[in-house]
Amino acid sequence: MIFQLKETLKYWLIDHPSIVWFRWSPTQSWGGTWPFLVTAIAAYITAALTLHIILKIFKRSQAVRLGPIPAIHYLMMSLISITIFSGMLFSAAAELHDTRWLLRRTKTTPFEWFLCFPLGMRPSGRVFFWSYIFYLSRFLHLFRTFFVILRHRKLSFFRLFNNSILLISSFLWLEFSQSFQVLGILLSTLVYCLVYGYRFWIEIGLPSKNFYFTVNCQMILLGCNLVCHFGVLWLHLWRGGCNGIGAWVFNSVLNAAILFLFLKSYVNVHCQKKNNSTYNSTCDQSFKLQ
């Protein structure tokens, strides 16, 4: 029974033909073109701003009741995240096993491969299939913005900027076979699984302690990403090049902007701690993962 379950999971996570023979293509992959990406981001920002303005015009002060929709969304995103994490982890292990002869010849350790793809890497195979699924999941992630607008009448520049940048980053990972994406996806999906699971727990009314769980998760994720980016740069200079380094530089600048805005908000909230008795609720809403 256990062996059969293991083989079934293995088939659906790494051995399915759609996974093994996947190839990122602007003509065959849904959402795989630059015009689509730009249009999707523009539509997202326009829809969020329009909804926010409409609620302001009609001066609706009461929260819109969304029923079980947010809970279903949080549960779905948590399950999707753990599925992507598992698929990417097992796919990376399978790719390392299949190319072990090349790694030995180039004297590349598995950890170095996680950070630095060899030059000439093409966006095809198991790893890039799960990278593509991660890219698609970013679109589902955007719905949380509308939940916040309808419930709290809040729309921040940071939320729009962060979600748009994360969508662009996941697109660049595929378009340029960028290094670091395997580790980046593993870290992100692990954090999203925990955070969305925590939100689902709260949404269905189960007891929870008043602590900054989402803030701590965000800080850990940003810290790990920062350390890994230094690792990519060191390997690129030391080993003679990492694939997709141009896209990596662009993504690094965008991630630095996100980190700056996050830390700025973090400092501003803590500066108000002494004079704000509602600090806990303010902090939670300011730092929830976008």
Side-chain angles (χ1 to χ4, degrees), residues 202-215:
I202 296 177
E203 192 68 33
I204 61 178
L206 295 176
S208 62
K209 294 183 178 180
N210 186 17
F211 68 111
Y212 312 125
F213 182 78
T214 58
V215 183

Side-chain angles (χ1 to χ4, degrees), residues 257-277:
I258 292 175
L259 179 60
F260 172 77
L261 291 174
F262 180 85
L263 292 178
K264 181 180 178 181
S265 299
Y266 189 87
V267 171
N268 289 338
V269 170
H270 275 75
C271 287
Q272 298 173 1
K273 182 178 180 180
K274 295 181 180 179
N275 300 322
N276 190 356
S277 59

Side-chain angles (χ1 to χ4, degrees), residues 20-235:
V20 176
W21 302 109
F22 172 81
R23 183 176 181 83
W24 167 258
S25 171
T27 58
Q28 298 179 3
S29 303
W30 185 86
T33 63
W34 284 99
F36 178 90
L37 178 66
V38 173
T39 302
I41 293 176
Y44 161 67
I45 295 175
T46 302
L49 290 174
T50 301
L51 179 60
H52 184 65
I53 292 172
I54 290 175
L55 293 176
K56 287 288 186 181
I57 292 176
F58 287 95
K59 298 181 179 180
R60 185 181 178 91
S61 58
Q62 294 182 349
V64 177
R65 294 183 178 180
L66 300 176
I69 295 177
I72 294 173
H73 178 261
Y74 298 153
L75 178 60
M76 181 177 64
M77 290 302 300
S78 182
L79 294 176
I80 289 175
S81 296
I82 194 61
T83 300
I84 297 174
F85 175 85
S86 301
M88 178 61 78
L89 182 63
F90 291 127
S91 294
E95 292 293 333
L96 288 171
H97 180 269
D98 294 343
T99 59
R100 59 190 183 280
W101 60 272
L102 180 61
L103 297 179
R104 286 197 297 265
R105 192 177 68 178
T106 58
K107 297 181 180 179
T108 302
T109 65
F111 182 73
E112 290 173 347
W113 181 87
F114 273 93
L115 287 175
C116 179
F117 281 155
L119 295 175
M121 189 83 167
R122 300 299 180 186
S124 61
R126 301 180 179 93
V127 165
F128 289 97
F129 170 83
W130 290 109
S131 181
Y132 177 59
I133 299 300
F134 180 77
Y135 166 64
L136 296 181
S137 72
R138 292 291 195 185
F139 291 97
L140 296 176
H141 185 76
L142 301 179
F143 283 99
R144 175 165 161 74
T145 299
F146 302 99
F147 297 159
V148 173
I149 296 174
L150 291 171
R151 281 183 165 180
H152 306 291
R153 307 295 180 273
K154 292 184 178 181
L155 179 62
S156 64
F157 168 77
F158 176 73
R159 184 180 296 278
L160 295 177
F161 179 77
N162 187 36
N163 287 340
S164 300
I165 293 308
L166 293 177
L167 194 57
I168 293 173
S169 297
S170 57
F171 179 87
L172 294 177
W173 285 350
L174 288 160
E175 185 71 9
F176 297 100
S177 305
Q178 185 193 312
S179 298
F180 171 66
Q181 64 177 283
V182 174
L183 201 54
I185 291 173
L186 289 174
L187 292 172
S188 297
T189 50
L190 181 60
V191 168
Y192 286 143
C193 176
L194 296 175
V195 168
Y196 277 111
Y198 176 71
R199 287 175 178 162
F200 171 75
W201 181 273
I202 296 177
E203 192 68 33
I204 61 178
L206 295 176
S208 62
K209 294 183 178 180
N210 186 17
F211 68 111
Y212 312 125
F213 182 78
T214 58
V215 183
N216 294 332
C217 287
Q218 180 77 314
M219 290 296 293
I220 292 173
L221 179 60
L222 290 174
C224 290
N225 282 339
L226 182 63
V227 172
C228 291
H229 276 290
F230 281 110
V232 173
L233 180 60
W234 182 76
L235 287 174

